[in-house]
Amino acid sequence: MSEGSVAPVGDPFEREYAAPMLEVPGPDVREREREEREGEALAVPWEPYALRGCVLTPDRVVDDGWVVVGEGRVVEVSDRRPVGLRTIDTGGVVLPGLIDLHGHPEYNVFAAWEPPREYANRYQWRRSREYAAVIKAPWRTLTQTTDEQPSLLRTLTRYAEARAMVGGVTALQGASGRYPDPHESLVRNVDRYILGQQPGRSMVDLDRARPEELARTRQRIDDGQIRALYVHLAEGTDEASRREFEQLIEVGLLTGATVIIHGTALTDRQLGDVKDAGAKLVWSPQSNLRLYGQTTAVARALRLGIPVGLGADWLPSGSPSLLEEIQVARRILNQQGSRVGAKRLVGMVTSQAARIAGLYPQLGTLRPGTPADLLVLQRHHADPWESVVSSDRRSVELVTIGGDVTYGRIAWVDALAGPTEREPVTAWGKPMALDLTYSVMASPEEPPRLANLRSQLLARYPQTGPIFA
């Protein structure tokens, strides 16, 4: 097997991991019509409410501001206290929910992996014995269906989405083709059905997509149906990784809709081609450094004007959350000679990320009429943008998706959401409440509690990675 090849396509794990999401069945017409008619959330707080804090939007900072939420949407952003609403004075920074543009959610139940060496490309570590033991074997244990036990795919995906949410993420990329039905998702999935549409598609291995799939994808990009095509590409440091970029050009998929994930091996000339095509880049520096010992020339990409978003990748080799990934990104940009400001870094996981996903201004901003996907963080710095960049998961005070209060301080959740199915949790010493009954669309299944998800996973895989650690 060559350095630039993967395990045989008959390998169940590889088939699942690398399956392209180019043709993804969505909700049936009736479900989609209901979503568009009734909004995105299964349940929203029983009354409109308002949050007070330092409010950040892409255009301005309202240092003593209010965000009014009603019927699942942002009603107003103002410096005037609203009248007649229940209010929470957060004392923190209120901003749009974070958008993680690269991950593998259903694998985030695994503990962090210590790679035994640096690799030249992603195919090497995917073939390694260590990776088979740490990732492939437990994945099979959790997802295979036998006469004695069912697959826990739905359990581990819900658990992984809860992990993302408590880190402030309200939308993410990278769910596999076997992900549970779209209406079951806890956070939004930018490459599946979202807000009544499916603007994104994704693939891991370009050479595994059938020619007819690639042709249909290009046609849908040309027709405007696909606004973001996420492609794992040039992930490594060698010539085999760089050749993937030339292959992308050969199949006609270097376009203005193309979102290159990783791009660690891209040369200056290739980055120029990315710029000329109007393509974008998603960067996961922590995972790159751990696996390959180096990362993408993002400072060069930014100087060229290439839009850049961030992704935490996955827990085995990446950061434990997108907030921690922002801090890694800042350090590497400084090392590359680019002192990017805190505001721009925050944009990479909010407004800029939404633009890359083809979902701005529906997501990534606080604007009247947009879904109320909100994050409240403790304030650590006089400059609110710096405060966000210096935050980690312990700083998360409140998360709402479509106005629904999904995670936050217990007193706040009780005050805003009324009689909910909240579940008390202890998060890094803080008493918090988690509500997993939310889903993007109504589901006939009874929503699980975190305690149930955890017990199911631990019963079969005792090494399941904890969420609050």
Side-chain angles (χ1 to χ4, degrees):
M1 191 178 297
S2 69
E3 287 293 294
S5 61
V6 295
V9 294
D11 181 316
F13 179 92
E14 282 292 331
R15 190 169 58 244
E16 170 66 20
Y17 175 83
M21 286 217 312
L22 303 179
E23 299 287 342
V24 182
D28 63 30
V29 173
R30 181 177 54 192
E31 292 279 18
R32 213 176 312 156
E33 287 178 346
R34 185 187 65 186
E35 182 189 28
E36 292 168 352
R37 183 173 63 251
E38 298 182 2
E40 299 75 40
L42 167 64
V44 296
W46 49 314
E47 293 178 2
Y49 61 90
L51 303 176
R52 183 184 186 184
C54 178
V55 182
L56 303 184
T57 77
D59 306 317
R60 60 179 177 143
V61 174
V62 186
D63 195 64
D64 185 10
W66 295 87
V67 179
V68 178
V69 175
E71 298 185 353
R73 297 187 176 273
V74 175
V75 176
E76 183 183 21
V77 176
S78 172
D79 58 2
R80 299 186 305 275
R81 183 186 184 95
V83 177
L85 299 181
R86 63 180 61 236
T87 61
I88 296 291
D89 186 351
T90 71
V93 180
V94 185
L95 68 155
L98 307 183
I99 302 172
D100 188 335
L101 284 184
H102 172 49
H104 303 271
E106 65 272 29
Y107 299 94
N108 280 352
V109 302
F110 305 123
W113 173 45
E114 188 63 63
R117 63 186 178 93
E118 293 176 0
Y119 302 94
N121 57 56
R122 60 195 168 108
Y123 310 107
Q124 289 184 350
W125 59 261
R126 282 166 60 181
R127 295 197 311 268
S128 70
R129 287 190 297 271
E130 303 85 23
Y131 181 69
V134 173
I135 306 298
K136 288 187 178 182
W139 181 86
R140 293 190 183 101
T141 298
L142 289 166
T143 61
Q144 286 182 343
T145 300
T146 67
D147 293 338
E148 292 77 28
Q149 59 189 20
S151 168
L152 291 182
L153 180 65
R154 291 171 64 179
T155 300
L156 63 90
T157 50
R158 193 74 166 179
Y159 183 85
E161 285 197 312
R163 178 196 297 281
M165 188 185 66
V166 302
V169 169
T170 56
L172 51 74
Q173 181 275 340
S176 81
R178 278 207 309 140
Y179 197 83
D181 291 342
H183 64 265
E184 295 177 344
S185 60
L186 175 62
V187 300
R188 304 186 194 278
N189 290 266
V190 299
D191 49 356
R192 296 186 66 87
Y193 276 88
I194 179 170
L195 303 175
Q197 56 186 312
Q198 190 183 5
R201 305 290 194 281
S202 66
M203 65 175 75
V204 174
D205 294 332
L206 182 63
D207 57 355
R208 284 191 173 171
R210 297 189 300 272
E212 58 271 23
E213 290 179 319
L214 298 174
R216 279 196 298 268
T217 299
R218 176 56 195 253
Q219 186 59 55
R220 287 174 178 169
I221 290 172
D222 292 342
D223 292 344
Q225 296 179 48
I226 296 177
R227 302 194 295 274
L229 175 64
Y230 303 90
V231 187
H232 283 63
L233 202 80
E235 183 188 350
T237 60
D238 62 355
E239 190 58 35
S241 302
R242 280 184 283 277
R243 281 199 300 269
E244 294 180 345
F245 183 78
E246 306 309 321
Q247 182 186 6
L248 183 75
I249 295 174
E250 290 169 6
V251 300
L253 287 180
L254 180 60
T255 73
T258 305
V259 182
I260 295 174
I261 295 174
H262 295 302
T264 53
L266 294 179
T267 65
D268 284 353
R269 177 189 62 79
Q270 290 173 328
L271 284 171
D273 291 340
V274 172
K275 165 62 176 176
D276 292 343
K280 294 94 174 175
L281 189 65
V282 172
W283 185 33
S284 298
Q286 175 72 354
S287 184
N288 297 162
L289 293 168
R290 294 186 66 212
L291 293 171
Y292 312 113
Q294 66 184 62
T295 189
T296 317
V298 169
R300 170 66 174 163
L302 292 174
R303 285 194 294 271
L304 288 171
I306 298 171
V308 176
L310 285 177
D313 203 340
W314 59 356
L315 193 59
S317 63
S319 291
S321 80
L322 195 56
L323 287 167
E324 279 96 340
E325 191 76 10
I326 295 172
Q327 297 174 24
V328 178
R330 165 173 267 187
R331 295 187 189 103
I332 299 304
L333 281 167
N334 286 341
Q335 292 172 21
Q336 293 183 358
S338 179
R339 300 191 68 82
V340 172
K343 180 178 180 180
R344 191 169 187 184
L345 286 165
V346 174
M348 289 181 184
V349 295
T350 54
S351 56
Q352 178 78 295
R355 288 187 173 95
I356 290 172
L359 290 164
Y360 190 85
Q362 297 102 315
L363 301 182
T365 185
L366 302 181
R367 182 177 297 184
T370 59
D373 294 4
L374 306 176
L375 168 62
V376 178
L377 295 170
Q378 290 177 327
R379 190 163 185 175
H380 305 294
H381 197 284
D383 181 335
W385 304 104
E386 287 288 347
S387 186
V388 174
V389 171
S390 66
S391 296
D392 59 24
R393 294 168 294 161
R394 295 168 296 181
S395 302
V396 175
E397 299 277 78
L398 185 74
V399 178
T400 73
I401 304 176
D404 191 75
V405 179
T406 55
Y407 175 68
R409 291 190 182 188
I410 286 183
W412 294 4
V413 173
D414 289 345
L416 296 177
T420 68
E421 296 294 325
R422 71 168 176 80
E423 182 176 2
V425 294
T426 300
W428 301 281
K430 293 195 301 185
M432 304 288 279
L434 185 67
D435 182 4
L436 301 188
T437 63
Y438 170 86
S439 64
V440 172
M441 293 173 61
S443 170
E445 302 289 337
E446 182 177 349
R449 296 172 69 83
L450 179 61
N452 296 337
L453 299 175
R454 182 187 287 123
S455 63
Q456 290 175 35
L457 292 170
L458 289 173
R460 198 177 301 182
Y461 178 57
Q463 294 86 6
T464 297
I467 289 178
F468 303 105

